Amino acid sequence: MSKESVLTIEDFESVSTNEELLSKIRKKGISIAKVQVKLDYEEELKKLQIELVKLQQWIAKKNKRVAVIFEGRDAAGKGGSIRRFMEHLNPRSTRLVALNKPTDVEKGQWYFQRYIKELPNPGEIVFFDRSWYNRAVVEPVMGFCTDDQYKNFLVQVPEFEHMLYEDGVVIIKFWLSISKDEQLRRFDSRNDNPLKRWKFSPVDKRGQELWDDYTFYKDEMFSRTHTTYSPWIVVKTNSKKEARVECMRHVLTQFNYDGKDEAQTILTPDPNIVMRYYRSVKQLD
């Protein structure tokens, strides 16, 4: 490698923006394909987060109640997506709900009771990192509920969501879809990284072993709980960055908020990444 194709300290000190740095790199003939992809993603993310701030202000002004549910297999990217959504939002009118396993008292309550307490107040957006749909997939697969409890849930949840819909609560349900190979890769990455090892639980470990069981209950969930008033939105998440920005686009398209026509980026989501649930012989997960 020649000296002309190497970035020096002086090169870095002479620039003040990403654009200037990229220009200098190009002049030196250095390949920056991966860097460019990351910079493009960061720029797009920023533009969409600006729109989310505008949306939040509109929701507060109009006293709307919005619940955004993130479901999916372990390591599908639920937490990372929610963090990008909330990064620049006002915490006074935004909440994250990620409930621990129910207490003995909660186990004796009506199943939906502890989730009702977490529903959005007027002017508020609530993000659910898993939700009442634990009972649709995780609990029956892992044996955390009885067969009767599972069946009762499937009967009750469409009625529960219809009541919320009639009362004006906007529910957006995302299923983050990941392939088996990509899930394994992310599990291995978590184990290899001391900062992420805490994310890996015994339930996660069995995710690969019980892959087909998860698939069965996931398909049952879609068939029984995908409704016109509360549809499932399936998001392909093998590429985390693409999934995050496309989820944002979908949420933004659901509202006619103030300043929407001034957006500096496309708000319509990519239909190859984000789509309403439909029956298909071949699915990613």
Side-chain angles (χ1 to χ4, degrees), residues 40-252:
D40 290 344
Y41 160 73
E42 294 291 345
E43 182 64 23
E44 192 64 20
L45 183 65
K46 178 181 176 181
K47 292 176 181 177
L48 291 168
Q49 287 175 331
I50 289 172
E51 296 305 305
L52 287 172
V53 170
K54 295 191 312 193
L55 172 63
Q56 182 187 36
Q57 292 171 341
W58 179 82
I59 287 171
K61 177 182 175 182
K62 298 293 185 179
N63 278 333
K64 298 290 184 180
R65 291 170 289 162
V66 180
V68 185
I69 292 172
F70 285 84
E71 291 287 347
R73 297 178 192 262
D74 296 308
K78 297 179 290 295
S81 293
I82 293 172
R83 281 196 301 275
R84 273 62 177 193
F85 264 91
M86 298 182 67
E87 191 171 8
H88 298 290
L89 298 183
N90 187 340
R92 293 180 179 176
S93 55
T94 310
R95 280 190 291 122
L96 166 64
V97 176
L99 299 183
N100 292 317
K101 64 181 182 179
T103 64
D104 289 340
V105 171
E106 288 172 332
K107 289 178 181 178
Q109 297 172 344
W110 180 43
Y111 177 73
F112 293 97
Q113 190 167 333
R114 71 183 191 133
Y115 292 103
I116 289 174
K117 295 183 294 185
E118 304 295 345
L119 290 171
N121 297 310
E124 189 177 41
I125 309 174
V126 174
F127 295 94
F128 285 86
D129 186 348
R130 294 200 182 280
S131 65
W132 45 87
Y133 280 100
N134 267 338
R135 179 143 293 179
V137 182
V138 175
E139 289 190 16
V141 169
M142 300 303 296
F144 295 158
C145 69
T146 66
D147 191 49
D148 284 343
Q149 287 174 328
Y150 168 70
K151 290 178 179 178
N152 286 337
F153 170 82
L154 290 180
V155 171
Q156 292 178 2
V157 69
E159 296 299 324
F160 172 66
E161 291 178 354
H162 191 255
M163 286 189 290
L164 296 178
Y165 168 77
E166 287 190 322
D167 201 54
V169 179
V170 178
I171 302 177
I172 299 173
K173 302 189 302 194
F174 285 122
W175 176 269
L176 304 188
S177 182
I178 185 175
S179 67
K180 188 175 184 180
D181 289 343
E182 178 61 17
Q183 185 191 55
L184 179 60
R185 190 194 69 77
R186 293 182 188 178
F187 281 167
D188 290 341
S189 176
R190 286 180 178 182
N191 272 327
D192 293 340
N193 187 339
L195 296 176
K196 294 184 177 181
R197 202 167 292 154
W198 63 270
K199 292 184 176 182
F200 194 72
S201 69
V203 173
D204 294 337
K205 184 177 181 180
R206 297 199 67 192
Q208 288 272 302
E209 301 170 14
L210 300 172
W211 181 271
D212 291 341
D213 292 335
Y214 273 98
T215 299
F216 171 79
Y217 283 103
K218 177 206 69 172
D219 291 341
E220 286 293 298
M221 176 191 74
F222 284 155
S223 295
R224 303 285 291 276
T225 66
H226 176 76
T227 59
T228 55
Y229 52 85
S230 186
W232 277 105
I233 306 301
V234 180
V235 185
K236 295 180 179 179
T237 62
N238 275 6
S239 170
K240 287 183 179 181
K241 292 182 174 63
E242 285 186 348
R244 290 165 187 164
V245 297
E246 298 305 328
C247 282
M248 289 180 180
R249 291 190 216 278
H250 176 78
V251 170
L252 292 167

Side-chain angles (χ1 to χ4, degrees), residues 25-37:
I25 291 173
R26 292 191 189 98
K27 288 179 180 178
K28 288 179 175 285
I30 301 172
S31 175
I32 57 166
K34 290 185 178 181
V35 175
Q36 186 68 59
V37 169

